[in-house]
Amino acid sequence: MDCIFCKIISGEIPTKILKETSDSISFLDAFPLSKGHVLVIPKKHHQKIQDMNEKENSDLFSLVHTMISKVDSITGSTLLAVHNGKDAGQEVPHVHVHLVPRSKDDSAGAIHSMFDDSFKLSDSEIDELYTKLKI
Ligand code: AMP
Ligand code: ZN
C-alpha cells in the first residue's frame, strides 16, 4: 500500500520517533504547524478510528495520554485533532492524532472559527439527529 505512515512504520521513510508501544508510535510531524507538533498513529493501517479494534484503540489513546503531558509542557495549551475521513480534512488515509502546541498569539482560533456560523438546525432536525445518534 502506498501510505506514507505505513512507510514510516516499516522504516522506509525516516522520521523522529518519540515513543513506540505494542500497537502505536509517536513522532514529530515533518511539516509542523507549531514548535512541538507531534503525531500519534496505530502501527496497523486503518483509515478511521472506528476501523481499529479495541486493543489498537486503547493503545493509541493511551500513547496520546502519555505524549500530551510532554507536548503540553511546551506552551501550556495543546490542540488535539483527528481528521476522521477525507472530507473532514484527512490528507493521509492512516489514522493519526495531531498534538499541536497552541499559544495566544498563533494564527488559529476556536473550533467554531473553522466553520460558517450561519449553519443552524431546526428543532425537528435536532430531534431526528438525537434519535439517530443516541446509544
Ligand atoms: P492530515 O492533514 O490530518 O492528514 O495530516 C497529515 C500530517 O502528516 C500533516 O500534518 C503532515 O505535515 C504530516 N506528514 C506528512 N508527511 C510526513 C512525514 N514524512 N513525516 C512526518 N509527518 C508527515
Ligand atoms: Zn498506512
Side-chain angles (χ1 to χ4, degrees):
M1 175 173 300
D2 195 25
C3 168
I4 294 170
F5 291 170
C6 284
K7 286 181 180 163
I8 284 177
I9 286 152
S10 68
E12 227 177 300
I13 294 179
T15 191
K16 299 256 187 236
I17 294 181
L18 300 164
K19 170 95 179 153
E20 179 172 357
T21 60
S22 61
D23 296 332
S24 317
I25 61 165
S26 176
F27 53 95
L28 292 178
D29 195 293
F31 309 96
L33 295 167
S34 66
K35 281 183 192 169
H37 183 173
V38 161
L39 297 174
V40 183
I41 70 171
K43 288 181 179 172
K44 192 168 169 206
H45 184 93
H46 294 293
Q47 179 169 11
K48 292 185 167 187
I49 288 194
Q50 63 268 38
D51 301 333
M52 292 186 291
N53 66 33
E54 216 172 295
K55 180 173 174 284
E56 290 163 336
N57 182 60
S58 48
D59 190 85
L60 181 83
F61 284 97
S62 170
L63 184 52
V64 169
H65 185 262
T66 300
M67 293 309 301
I68 192 65
S69 54
K70 281 286 233 185
V71 173
D72 200 66
S73 70
I74 294 175
T75 63
S77 288
T78 308
L79 170 72
L80 276 106
V82 178
H83 298 287
N84 204 46
K86 194 170 187 292
D87 291 345
Q90 185 178 20
E91 289 177 324
V92 178
H94 182 132
V95 171
H96 49 285
V97 182
H98 292 266
L99 280 62
V100 187
R102 292 284 312 269
S103 50
K104 69 174 162 43
D105 299 325
D106 68 24
S107 55
I111 189 168
H112 281 254
S113 66
M114 291 173 68
F115 293 81
D116 178 349
D117 67 3
S118 65
F119 177 77
K120 293 276 181 298
L121 288 171
S122 66
D123 287 350
S124 65
E125 286 172 316
I126 292 169
D127 288 346
E128 198 181 310
L129 280 165
Y130 181 75
T131 307
K132 188 174 174 182
L133 297 176
K134 191 173 185 315
I135 296 171

